[in-house]
Each structure stands twice: as structure tokens, then as C-alpha cells.
Amino acid sequence: MEQPEKLELLRSTESLPRAISELRACKIIPEPQVREICHKARELLIEEANVVQVDAPVTICGDIHGQFHDLMELFRVGGDVPDTNYLFMGDFVDRGFYSLESFLLLLCLKVRYPDRITLIRGNHESRQITTVYGFYDECLRKYGSANVWRYCCEVFDYLALGAIVLGTSSTLEPSFTDQSQAIEPVDDDVEIEIMNSRNEVTARFPRSRRPLFEPEALNSSPPGTPSKTGPSGTGATSDAGGSLQSGGGSVLCVHGGLSPLIDSVDKIRLLDRKQEVPHEGAMCDLLWSDPDEIDGWGLSPRGAGFLFGSDIVKRFNYLNDLSLIARAHQLVMEGFKEMFDSSIVTVWSAPNYCYRCGNVAAILELGEDTSNGGIISRSNGDAERSLQVLPTNDMPRSGPGRRYRVFEAAPQDPRGMPAKKPVADYFLINSPIAISIRTDFRLKDKEKFGGILELEDGEQESTGASEPEEIPVPDIKKGDVFII
Amino acid sequence: MSDLQRSFARAKLAGLPFEPPPPPNHLVENEEDDEIDDLKPLPEAPDDDSSSASSASSASSTGTIRPSPSKHLFARPKGFSNRKGSEPLPWNDYFTRELYLKFARPTENVTYHAYITPPTAKGPLLVTHHGAGSSGLSFALFASEIRKALPDAGVLSLDARGHGETVVEKLEPSPSDAAPDLSHEILSQDLLDVIQLTEKEMKWSELPGLLLIGHSLGGAVVTDLAKSGKLGNAVLGYAVLDVVEGSAIDALQSMQSYLLTRPKNFPSLSSAIEWHTRSRTIRNTTSARISVPSLLRLDPSQPSANETKTWTWRTDLAATQPYWQGWFAGLSKKFLDAKGGKLLLLAGTDRLDKELMIGQMQGKYQLQVLPEAGHFIHEDQAEKTAMVVADFYRRNDRSALVLPPKVGDLLKANAAA
């Protein structure tokens, strides 16, 4: 076990700021330091609930996938930590070339500014997925052993499953970088504002008067149900439709989406999250499911999780007093996509995903409701509930004011970009030696993974597996094509 | 598995290559009964590399089987001549029968050759299509593995035209008939015909639920058939093994130079099997022993009187070049657009093209990667492939699918109560 004094050392010797500046420069930090940071992060994360409570203002971000330079662009566009509060909805690693730097930087920022940044778990924050989609290989390549991967995976198990944003404003505050320009007051009636990476407004949408989800139908709760008075997202909550809060209502953030096993936010709170992402069940669904234009539930083509339709989202939001669900998980070419009368939004923050998809990225800013001296936002959004205003169809739709900042991929750093493989090597035969070394690494760690994952820290990779067998094949050279 | 277990297994395997490890202590009472069986070799593990984890675990997993003389668990299955050999293995250990399906068209008479293990009960039928230059037996090991995971499932594995024992007789011979017409339209029609002929031949009243599975070129064929919708609702889903449009078309450029490096002929079937395993073309010796013989025939250019018989490829792959582009063009779009469950099995993640990368990240299909396998995923990792396909079937089995209720139904139920 780690000694507590050692952790104090981490802070007192200013090694954490140094690590942060190293990582900001996209440099890796020494393995012992990774270990300390991961340990410290676990100590912080274990204290967090399955559903972290976050106060507005906050900027919500979707998948990052190891695209470090685009993460830097995100911070440039959205404001730096700790000036801007961030909520990252998972999938920090895999696919991109800098999963390690990206995840460790976010983790360092979490340790340094625990109240300023919230990290929740994505389906890629899993041992099984990272061994296939790149993070494991990256750790092996950059450190020569799987230790760092193992430390990170232990952190994954402690990441929260969701977050609930309270005290959002229904209006938009002026953009934080507006000082340079003449401050243009944002009309109170603007619900959605879209800005580009140069801080220019590209579109504004006024608050529409769309019909609400028929609350009468759902008000038929079983007799004897106590009237609910607690904060949003708890079983004690009041009706979403019935409580027109002064603010924009509560926003649930989760990587994937809903689960048929979860009908209230409280049910998420009951899960035992400190484990590898299972193949099925509520925890799996939260990280894997997708909204779709269907009625009810559907089979997810992904092979895990479910598809869920608009009726499911609206009912869930209504029962849990949520005004919006924010989620990531699906690539959206435009960076973000609101669905089902703006009851759910997908936020995607990896521009030109995998360096080839040609999409833009977005982040979602939710402002703080300051209409009552900031008191309301701290009281979990149940202010004015006593008024019991019932909604009518021509009242403005409730929901937070949303500013989407859309940005493109950062210019590629010519030094940092690893040479792309010219042709996929499935048609190619690598030199047999290269193949056997690679497989050997994989096998070794797979064995540990399957059986004795909890190795003593720092133990050497000595599983006793015999040396890879080298097969001399004189008639096939590297680069030769394989059978179709 | 612990180091101890692993080194134990390895030591045992190294020292006693033809014997299974002694039964664990709790089975000691059976020891005498097993002695006779113990002298016989184990059924070969799917992985020929005795240092790898899988053979070690298969050795230790014998501890969970209670061997008894009546069950013949350790008895040598038909055709297993020796553990490390490179002798051919017969097809009938892996399929229950072979079909010769005659079909007359205006321009040609075709005798399709296919292997089948029919489904039992309400099990699905997995229709497999091999890649270019391969044969129906490429899926033999997979077929036996899938029956372990899904005992009711059947497998139908055909030889495409120009491959294996399928014979095409042209009614109006023309010079251009020297090479078989392997355009994807023809191959897709062939696959449809074989499925329908099999339905007739097996006297099924209706088609069982179908999973179409294709490797490489075969993946393009099954996707084309699934997209055509000609099999209607019978198709539960389709699986494509290790082929992606973008990277396949990139790789075609160097295909001819690869073909030149292949040996033109082999002195014996064993040497051909050895070549396939040594070059790591097929990384599973057992599978190579089943599938490789069907790729070859006695060289007809050599007079039979000649003492030195040589074996040559049945399929002249180089001559099929005109069709290559057509096989893969538009594959990604068809794969995403067709109806039914979609499974893509790859040996590496870096093979996705832009369209499939976007599709995957939008959750349009299921992607599984088996990094340990080579291009012949279903041969190299037959057991894992079978497990993935079995899970895929279970998810897409419409008869078993029960979804949670819709909100509208809940409200109706509430109103009624």
C-alpha cells in the first residue's frame, strides 16, 4: 500500500503542477509519478457517488479518444481549467494516438482541481476494450510494460457512472470571451446558441413553445404515493412538468444512455460500480445504450446495451424531474445532436474522429442560474415548487439555456503525428518475428488479465512464457499481400 | 491461470507430448479405468503452439471433465492420425453430409458442392461462404466449434464456383470461359440458389433462421445477398470476417505480387499443409489439415504415368483479377444498409475505413476484434469465432427476444387497472 506521507509529498513538492505542464506539452511523465497520481485519483473518486452532483455553470464534453491536440483545442475554445468547470462524459482513451497523455492530463487536473472537473466513465474505460482498441498497446509502447495501463484501469473502476447538473439557468449568460468584443446582451428568450471556435455566434434559436409531454397521463401514479418534495433526480422529486423551476432544471449526464433496469436516478446510485464494465445489466446499459427513433426499447446493433425511444426518455425525464439528458457515445458529424423535442442531446468532442471521419466536435455550456443570488442553484432546483404552477402547452418549454461551441480538429502537429500505416496489415504479412513478439506480449498480459490481475506493483513481466517461436519463412517478405 | 499451473501444464506437455496430463487428485479413483484411454492422444487443441495459453488451458481443463471408458472422451476421434502431424483430415468429422446440388441455367449446368450439418429442433442455419482461393472446408473447424456453443445450430458451407468440388459446365463454350465468372452478382446468386436447393434437398417446410457468414470475398457475397433482401425475413443477421472495403481495395494493388510468391505446386498434401502453417497463412494446424487439401488437385499438366505427382491450386487466383474491384466496391455501404443484425469480425482494429469507422461509432453494427488471429480468423481462432457468432445469434434470435414494455403499453395497462 501507498504511504500517505508520500502522497503529501506529491503536492508539497509541486510535482503535480510540473506533471501537468509536462502533460500539457504532450510529454509522458515517469511511471512512479503515474502510479502516485492514479492512487491519489482513486482516493478522490472513491468518495464520489455513482451520480456526481455538479453545480452549474459547467461545460459538458463528450468523447475524447486520445486526440490530445484536439483536447487542447477544446480547452482553448471552452476556456482553461480551472477558469471553466468541465464535465467529461467518458471515452478518454483508445483510437487516438495520445490516450495516455489525454487521460493522465485530465486525471492530474482532477487531482489538482477536484471541484472544477468531473470525469465519468465511458464504455472504453474498461480493460477488455482498451486491450483491443489501442490504449493498452500505447502504454506498452510508451513505457515498455503494462504497469501504467494497469494503474489506469484501476482508476477506471472508480469513475462515476453519471452526473447530475443542478442550478442551470434557463437563459444564456454572455460568453466568457466576449470581453474582447462589444458585449452583446443575450436575449432572455434565446434557448440555444451555437458558436464557432472563433467565438462567433453562428445560430440562435428562441425558446419554442412546443407541447410538453402529456403529464396528465403520467400523473396517474399509484394511490398512496407521497407527494414528492426532494431534490431532482431523487425518488423524492416533484414532477418535472409540474415544477417550473426558476432555473433550467436538472441535467443528467451519462456516457451511453438509459437502461430498462433503471427507472430512476436513485437506481443508478444503488449500483456497485467498482468493477470492470459488465457485459450486460444496468451498468453496462448506462455506458452502451443509444437513443433511436423507435417506440420503446430495441436491440442495440452494438452487441451491448439497448436502443431507447422518445417515449422512454420523456417518461424518465418526467419521473426524475430532469429537463435534459446529456450523453456522448455516438459520433455526430455536426458535433452535437438534440433529439426527442430536446429531451436528450448527444455531445461529441473528438473532431475528425480517428483522424479520418471529417466531423466537427462540440461542447455544451450550461450557465448558472443567478436570478436569486445564487441561492436557488444550491438548493437543488426545487425552488418555487410551492407555487405548484401547472404547465400549459403555450408556456415556454422548460430546459436550460444551451450554448454549443463547435470546433474543428487542431492543426496536426507534424512532430507528434506518428506515421500512419500505409496499408492495413491484414493483407500483409509482417515479418514473422514482429508478429510473434507482439502476440507474445498480448498473450502474457491476457493471462494476467484473466487470472492474476492484481500483481504486486512493479513486478516484472516474467510469466515464464517461453520465447516466441520464430518461423523462418524465406519465401514471404514483409509487405507481401495476403489472400483475399 | 497461475504461473504454477501454467508451468505445470507446460512441463507436462513438453515432456509427454502424446499424453494428456495425469488426472487431478480428485479423480484418482478413476485412474485405473482411464489407463487405456490415457495412452491415446488428446483430441488436438485448436492451437498448435504448445507454449501458448490456450493449449495450456485446454490441458488443465481436462481436469473438469470426468473421463470414463464408456464416454470415450479421450478416445481418438476418427481421422486423428497423430498430434503434431500434417496429414490431411477428412471432412466427415466436421460435417454430417455433403451435398451435390444440380442446377440448370440457360447458359450452364452447375453442380454445387456443399457440406452440411443440418440444424436440429428450432436451431438456426449458419450459411458460410469462404474467401477467394479457399473452400467450404475453411469453415469445418468453426462448424464443429459452433455446435459446442449452439448444439441445435446447423452449418451449410458451400464451395463457390471455381473452388473446391463445385463444377460449372458451360453449354456454349467460348474462349472467355477459361476462367470462371466470379463476379459478385453471380456468386451472390449462387449462394441464394444453394440455400434454396438445400431447402428442397433437405425437405424443409420452410427455411430455418439464417445467419449468413462470409470470410473475405465471402463477406462481400453474403453482404450482397443480405442487401438484396431475396431471403426475406429468414435472415436473422450476417457476419463478415476480416474484410473492409477501403483497406481491401488498397491491398489489391499488391495482390498479384503476393500471388507470385506463392509456391506453384507442392509435392504432397502434407507439404502444402506445412507451407500454410509455416508461412502463418493458416495459424491453426488442425484447421489447415482439414481445409488445405481441398484447395489443391493433382496437377493435370503432369502425365499420370509420371512417377512424381505434384499438387497444384484448384483456383487460379491471378486469373480472377478482373473481378477483384467489383467484389469490394460499395461493400461498406451495403453492409450498413442491409437489414438484420450486423457483425464485423476483424483481426486488427486499424482496418476500418471511414464509412465503417463512422458506422461503428454511431453504433450501427457489432465489431469484434481478435488480435491473435491472422486473416483466416475462423480457422486460426475457431473456438473464439464460434463463441462470438453464438452470442451474436442469441442476441438476434427473434423467437427468444423479449424487450421491456413501451411507455404507451404501460399507460394502457395503468388505465385498465
Side-chain angles (χ1 to χ4, degrees):
Chain A
M1 278 299 290
E2 199 74 48
Q3 296 302 309
E5 301 91 88
K6 209 172 166 186
L7 286 169
E8 281 311 307
L9 203 69
L10 179 74
R11 288 202 153 184
S12 61
T13 57
E14 297 292 309
S15 73
L16 186 58
R18 206 181 317 126
I20 290 176
S21 65
E22 289 284 297
L23 286 165
R24 276 185 196 275
C26 200
K27 291 181 187 146
I28 58 169
I29 54 176
E31 184 179 316
Q33 205 172 2
V34 177
R35 187 173 141 189
E36 285 182 49
I37 287 161
C38 289
H39 192 94
K40 184 66 196 163
R42 270 162 52 197
E43 282 190 343
L44 275 170
L45 294 170
I46 198 171
E47 297 294 328
E48 291 189 344
N50 287 351
V51 182
V52 189
Q53 187 174 315
V54 176
D55 291 329
V58 66
T59 299
I60 299 173
C61 312
D63 294 25
I64 299 299
H65 282 298
Q67 299 184 194
F68 180 85
H69 300 95
D70 300 324
L71 178 62
M72 291 297 105
E73 177 72 2
L74 185 155
F75 284 141
R76 189 188 71 75
V77 169
D80 215 338
V81 184
D83 305 328
T84 305
N85 299 336
Y86 280 100
L87 196 168
F88 285 89
M89 296 190 289
D91 278 16
F92 317 110
V93 298
D94 281 342
R95 294 291 197 182
F97 296 121
Y98 304 97
S99 293
L100 199 57
E101 292 84 351
S102 308
F103 179 65
L104 287 179
L105 175 60
L106 291 173
L107 210 57
C108 283
L109 293 173
K110 175 72 188 173
V111 174
R112 180 77 176 78
Y113 310 105
D115 301 329
R116 294 286 174 177
I117 181 165
T118 306
L119 308 177
I120 64 176
R121 192 172 191 176
N123 61 313
H124 276 265
E125 274 69 60
S126 127
R127 290 169 185 79
Q128 207 181 346
I129 297 284
T130 50
T131 44
V132 175
Y133 291 97
F135 182 51
Y136 172 81
D137 289 339
E138 186 185 324
C139 293
L140 213 56
R141 198 169 60 241
K142 291 179 178 170
Y143 285 93
S145 85
N147 290 338
V148 166
W149 172 78
R150 222 168 280 127
Y151 303 146
C152 292
C153 287
E154 284 163 14
V155 176
F156 294 162
D157 288 342
Y158 288 85
L159 289 171
L161 303 177
I164 191 157
V165 182
L166 302 173
T168 60
S169 166
S170 58
T171 56
L172 285 163
E173 300 162 44
S175 164
F176 79 99
T177 36
D178 275 353
Q179 291 99 337
S180 56
Q181 308 160 11
I183 293 179
E184 192 188 342
V186 181
D187 190 335
D188 270 4
D189 211 32
V190 171
E191 182 182 6
I192 303 170
E193 182 178 273
I194 302 170
M195 298 183 86
N196 64 15
S197 56
R198 291 180 302 282
N199 207 37
E200 296 155 356
V201 176
T202 54
R204 275 190 179 142
F205 298 93
R207 199 160 282 273
S208 65
R209 287 159 206 278
R210 273 163 285 185
L212 291 152
F213 183 53
E214 297 108 56
E216 316 82 50
L218 285 168
N219 270 340
S220 56
S221 46
T225 311
S227 71
K228 301 181 262 180
T229 53
S232 307
T234 71
T237 196
S238 173
D239 304 330
S243 64
L244 275 190
Q245 304 152 8
S246 60
S250 311
V251 179
L252 178 71
C253 303
V254 64
H255 179 73
L258 299 177
S259 164
L261 299 168
I262 300 283
D263 57 8
S264 72
V265 178
D266 276 344
K267 290 249 170 84
I268 307 177
R269 296 188 167 102
L270 293 176
L271 298 174
D272 176 17
R273 76 168 192 267
K274 290 171 198 73
Q275 53 169 321
E276 171 78 349
V277 181
H279 289 275
E280 53 189 19
M283 181 166 157
C284 164
D285 298 342
L286 291 169
L287 272 54
W288 279 92
S289 296
D290 296 312
D292 194 23
E293 304 287 347
I294 54 168
D295 215 14
W297 297 94
L299 196 67
S300 170
R302 292 181 189 263
F306 286 86
L307 297 177
F308 51 95
S310 121
D311 57 334
I312 303 292
V313 175
K314 289 179 181 176
R315 178 171 190 264
F316 186 88
N317 286 3
Y318 175 77
L319 292 177
N320 290 280
D321 200 14
L322 302 170
S323 57
L324 179 70
I325 295 176
R327 43 91 60 175
H329 195 41
Q330 271 179 307
L331 171 60
V332 188
M333 299 306 282
E334 300 79 20
F336 71 96
K337 183 182 181 186
E338 296 196 348
M339 292 172 78
F340 309 155
D341 300 325
S342 296
S343 57
I344 188 165
V345 60
T346 302
V347 181
W348 180 267
S349 305
N352 194 22
Y353 173 59
C354 243
Y355 313 107
R356 74 181 85 160
C357 287
N359 60 292
V360 295
I363 50 178
L364 164 59
E365 287 180 12
L366 299 177
E368 179 186 13
D369 183 15
T370 49
S371 61
N372 208 0
I375 294 166
I376 293 157
S377 63
R378 303 284 179 271
S379 67
N380 302 342
D382 58 350
E384 287 185 28
R385 191 152 290 170
S386 52
L387 297 180
Q388 287 296 315
V389 185
L390 280 170
T392 58
N393 278 354
D394 37 291
M395 287 188 87
R397 234 182 51 80
S398 65
R402 308 185 281 291
R403 175 178 289 125
Y404 294 100
R405 289 182 187 271
V406 176
F407 61 101
E408 288 163 23
Q412 279 307 333
D413 178 4
R415 293 163 302 148
M417 185 76 172
K420 201 169 163 271
K421 279 184 192 163
V423 187
D425 57 354
Y426 64 115
F427 287 129
L428 305 176
I429 295 186
N430 287 317
S431 80
I433 301 162
I435 291 178
S436 32
I437 289 173
R438 272 174 71 96
T439 20
D440 187 52
F441 268 130
R442 290 177 193 281
L443 277 178
K444 273 187 191 172
D445 221 86
K446 287 263 166 68
E447 284 167 7
K448 285 184 184 173
F449 175 37
I452 39 165
L453 197 67
E454 293 298 321
L455 282 179
E456 288 281 290
D457 284 343
E459 187 184 305
Q460 289 299 305
E461 291 262 337
S462 57
T463 55
S466 63
E467 287 303 305
E469 195 184 346
E470 290 176 20
I471 307 169
V473 185
D475 53 349
I476 292 192
K477 290 170 228 72
K478 183 168 181 159
D480 282 341
V481 180
F482 212 39
I483 277 185
I484 20 186
Chain B
M1 189 183 303
S2 74
D3 279 349
L4 183 66
Q5 274 178 292
R6 220 179 299 121
S7 57
F8 166 80
R10 202 166 22 247
K12 283 297 169 192
L13 283 177
L16 307 162
F18 297 111
E19 284 182 24
N25 291 339
H26 65 278
L27 290 175
V28 153
E29 67 270 24
N30 282 343
E31 199 168 30
E32 285 183 1
D33 298 345
D34 295 337
E35 256 180 15
I36 300 158
D37 286 331
D38 277 353
L39 296 174
K40 294 177 181 168
L42 271 172
E44 187 155 3
D47 195 325
D48 59 311
D49 182 356
S50 63
S51 73
S52 80
S54 63
S55 59
S57 62
S58 69
S60 72
S61 72
T62 55
T64 62
I65 300 171
R66 181 173 284 255
S68 73
S70 61
K71 283 185 183 164
H72 294 293
L73 279 174
F74 291 133
R76 177 192 308 193
K78 274 184 292 173
F80 283 95
S81 50
N82 64 56
R83 187 171 155 73
K84 279 282 172 193
S86 52
E87 295 302 312
L89 295 174
W91 64 268
N92 52 10
D93 288 341
Y94 300 91
F95 292 101
T96 52
R97 57 182 285 199
E98 58 183 337
L99 303 172
Y100 288 93
L101 306 161
K102 291 195 191 309
F103 194 68
R105 287 202 184 85
T107 56
E108 60 186 17
N109 287 326
V110 193
T111 307
Y112 295 110
H113 181 243
Y115 305 91
I116 189 168
T117 300
T120 49
K122 286 269 170 203
L125 179 67
L126 282 61
V127 181
T128 59
H129 195 299
H130 58 80
S134 192
S135 89
L137 288 181
S138 180
F139 283 94
L141 195 58
F142 168 80
S144 70
E145 291 294 340
I146 198 82
R147 301 269 297 181
K148 290 180 195 161
L150 296 172
D152 284 338
V155 181
L156 170 66
S157 190
L158 83 161
D159 289 339
R161 65 173 59 209
H163 295 76
E165 292 176 44
T166 290
V167 182
V168 181
E169 186 194 335
K170 289 280 175 192
L171 296 178
E172 293 165 24
S174 70
S176 66
D177 285 340
D181 184 350
L182 289 182
S183 68
H184 69 279
E185 296 94 346
I186 299 264
L187 292 174
S188 162
Q189 185 61 43
D190 281 350
L191 179 60
L192 178 65
D193 291 341
V194 166
I195 294 170
Q196 286 167 346
L197 291 168
T198 305
E199 181 185 8
K200 231 177 275 173
E201 176 79 19
M202 303 303 288
K203 301 186 174 59
W204 289 329
S205 56
E206 56 171 355
L207 276 176
L210 297 177
L211 278 188
L212 307 178
I213 300 168
H215 172 240
S216 209
L217 160 64
V221 176
V222 300
T223 305
D224 194 74
L225 182 58
K227 177 71 173 67
S228 75
K230 286 175 184 159
L231 287 163
N233 271 338
V235 181
L236 302 174
Y238 49 97
V240 168
L241 308 185
D242 212 41
V243 65
V244 169
E245 176 181 352
S247 41
I249 287 179
D250 285 350
L252 286 179
Q253 303 160 2
S254 25
M255 186 69 193
Q256 285 289 11
S257 58
Y258 161 70
L259 291 177
L260 289 175
T261 66
R262 286 205 307 180
K264 295 242 169 330
N265 39 45
F266 299 96
S268 67
L269 289 177
S270 299
S271 73
I273 293 166
E274 251 167 55
W275 178 83
H276 275 87
T277 51
R278 280 165 57 85
S279 66
R280 296 178 65 81
T281 305
I282 297 172
R283 303 180 186 180
N284 180 333
T285 313
T286 310
S287 190
R289 290 168 67 189
I290 311 160
S291 66
V292 171
S294 62
L295 311 182
L296 304 161
R297 59 178 172 182
L298 280 171
D299 195 340
S301 62
Q302 306 254 345
S304 53
N306 196 325
E307 284 293 305
T308 55
K309 292 188 293 185
T310 62
W311 296 81
T312 187
W313 303 101
R314 274 176 192 269
T315 311
D316 182 3
L317 270 181
T320 65
Q321 184 171 19
Y323 305 109
W324 291 352
Q325 200 79 19
W327 289 344
F328 304 117
L331 173 59
S332 294
K333 186 165 176 15
K334 277 192 263 183
F335 179 77
L336 292 173
D337 287 352
K339 282 210 172 99
K342 306 165 184 48
L343 171 66
L344 180 61
L345 257 158
L346 296 180
T349 43
D350 47 357
R351 304 180 180 188
L352 290 178
D353 57 16
K354 176 180 168 183
E355 206 161 355
L356 288 187
M357 183 70 79
I358 294 173
Q360 193 227 343
M361 241 21 214
Q362 294 183 336
K364 301 252 176 79
Y365 63 94
Q366 184 177 345
L367 175 67
Q368 285 280 343
V369 181
L370 301 183
E372 306 89 344
H375 181 50
F376 289 81
I377 302 182
H378 54 297
E379 299 204 40
D380 296 353
Q381 296 279 331
E383 189 184 344
K384 269 195 189 162
T385 308
M387 292 203 347
V388 171
V389 171
D391 282 343
F392 177 66
Y393 164 70
R394 286 191 203 102
R395 271 186 78 82
N396 288 282
D397 176 14
R398 284 190 280 253
S399 62
L401 181 66
V402 182
L403 287 168
K406 297 172 184 172
V407 172
D409 298 344
L410 279 180
L411 293 175
K412 271 179 227 156
N414 258 4

